[in-house]
Structure formats: C-alpha cells, structure tokens
Amino acid sequence: MNIIGIDIGGTKCAVVSATTSGEIKSRDEFDTRTDLGLDYTLGRLYEAIEGLLKVEPKSDDELIFGISCGGPLDSQKGLVMSPPNLPGWDDVPITQLLTERFGGKAYLLNDANACALAEWHYGAGKGSNNVIFLTFGTGLGAGLILDGRLYTGANGLAGEVGHIRLAEDGPEGYGKAGSFEGFCSGGGIAKLGRQMVADAFAKGETVGFCPTEKEKQSLDAKAIAIAARDGDPLAKKIIAKSAFYLGRGLSILIDIRSE
C-alpha cells in the first residue's frame, strides 16, 4: 500500500507518506489559517499530497489515506462536522473529496482516537490493555483504549474530556468556563494568561513578557511558555495554574478507569 497520513488541526496541518510499520518516509506541514476559510486549507492539503506523491516511487499499489481531525465528525460517512477549532468545516465530506481527486481509499478518525491507536500499536502504549491518550493542541481531547480495543462510545464522541468542568469559573473551552480544555489546551492557556495579565494590570503591576494592553490581546501559549522558561514570575504562575488543573483532570480520568 501507498499510505498518506493527514492530520487536520485548528492551528496547523501535517501530511506524511508512511509505511505499514509506522515509519514516516516524508512529511509536509503548513498553518491551517482558518481565517482564510475552508477552500484555502483544502487547497494546501491537495498541494502537500501532490508534493509527497511526486517523490514516491511509481507503484501500482493501492493508495490509502488515513485522516485525523478534531471532532465532532462521522467516521463512517467520512464527514467533518463543524469542529469548534475549524470554523466553516460544516459537514465536509473529506474522504470523498480525497478519493475523487486522487483515487484509492480514505478513512477518517477523531484525532485523539487516531493518536491513541498509533501509540498503542507503535509507542508507549504498546502491550497495554488500557491506554488514555490526551491531545494538547488548540483544543484538548482524549483517545481511549479500554480492555484492548478503541472505545468510541454511543455516538463516536467518547473521549471528549475537554468538556469536563474542573472549576466553577475560569477560561472557556467548548463555551464552558472552568473546563479541562479551558485550563489546559493551547487556546485555554492563552485565555488564562490574558486574564491573569489583565488582573496584574488592574493592580498596577508591570508584566515583562506582555507590557501593553495591545500585546495582551494577541498573547498565546507559546509566548507564555517561553517567558516561564526564562523565569518570568507571572508566566510561571500561569503555567503552574494550568498544571494544577491538568493534575486534577488526570486524576479524574485515572479514578474512572483504574486497573
């Protein structure tokens, strides 16, 4: 088989050619640029796939696409169904679009579930009957391997642990204040940072990594992490608060599925 793996994220997309043993032969990635709309991202995906296929040896083997994307989605129908981090992706028949353009077969899976399966087959989860894989990106989710099989739940949405409310108040994830995603995802850490910077400004304090109100509006998790690494006291408090709620969220998952 000629295998093309595709990850569609709210911040970036990645496309790889791979072997059945999990070896990555070549890779391309690009910023998703959700502000430019669905057609832009699809166009960049097509360009990346075409680029990888050009460097592959000519082969009569079947072309297989494995696509991971944040939910909600319908894996059976190959539809991406309006993920919060992909505005405009409303019932997009991604598997059909790829097979009509390139041929072969295409399969769609929630990104956390795809990661859980990969880690279970090839990585740290190999040999375990129970695995929880957490995604920490623009959003937060989980893939669950329970009793030696992928658990998808009643409607394919099992593992969306970002919805869990960890505090009565806090940054929003999925429109829910104080949620796991609100405190611990990349987008959530940015929101938490902006709030804590605003609180510091209100007290008349100076924030070294974000000195102005204008800079606060564009503050992201990367800038906070770099500042924390460099020893900024407020940035370290932001990361520590996120880490506290990460521990709380993990403890809930462990209690639910204890061996």
Side-chain angles (χ1 to χ4, degrees), residues 172-227:
E172 287 190 3
Y174 294 108
K176 184 183 291 183
S179 65
F180 200 171
E181 176 166 309
F183 281 111
C184 298
S185 68
I189 291 171
K191 292 177 183 177
L192 177 64
R194 291 176 200 136
Q195 182 57 59
M196 293 179 69
V197 168
D199 293 343
F201 286 168
K203 296 175 184 176
E205 298 174 359
T206 299
V207 179
F209 65 94
C210 184
T212 67
E213 180 67 28
K214 183 178 180 180
E215 288 174 290
K216 187 198 77 172
Q217 299 305 319
S218 59
L219 186 62
D220 59 18
K222 181 178 180 180
I224 295 168
I226 291 172

Side-chain angles (χ1 to χ4, degrees), residues 112-200:
N113 290 346
C115 289
L117 281 173
E119 201 67 39
W120 185 42
H121 280 289
Y122 303 116
K126 192 172 183 178
S128 299
N129 280 332
N130 297 283
V131 176
I132 298 174
F133 184 100
L134 291 181
T135 62
F136 291 96
T138 309
L140 184 151
L144 309 174
I145 305 295
L146 303 180
D147 296 328
R149 62 182 299 177
L150 177 67
Y151 181 72
T152 57
N155 54 12
L157 296 177
E160 294 291 357
V161 299
H163 289 273
I164 297 172
R165 192 185 295 277
L166 299 178
E168 291 186 5
D169 195 14
E172 287 190 3
Y174 294 108
K176 184 183 291 183
S179 65
F180 200 171
E181 176 166 309
F183 281 111
C184 298
S185 68
I189 291 171
K191 292 177 183 177
L192 177 64
R194 291 176 200 136
Q195 182 57 59
M196 293 179 69
V197 168
D199 293 343

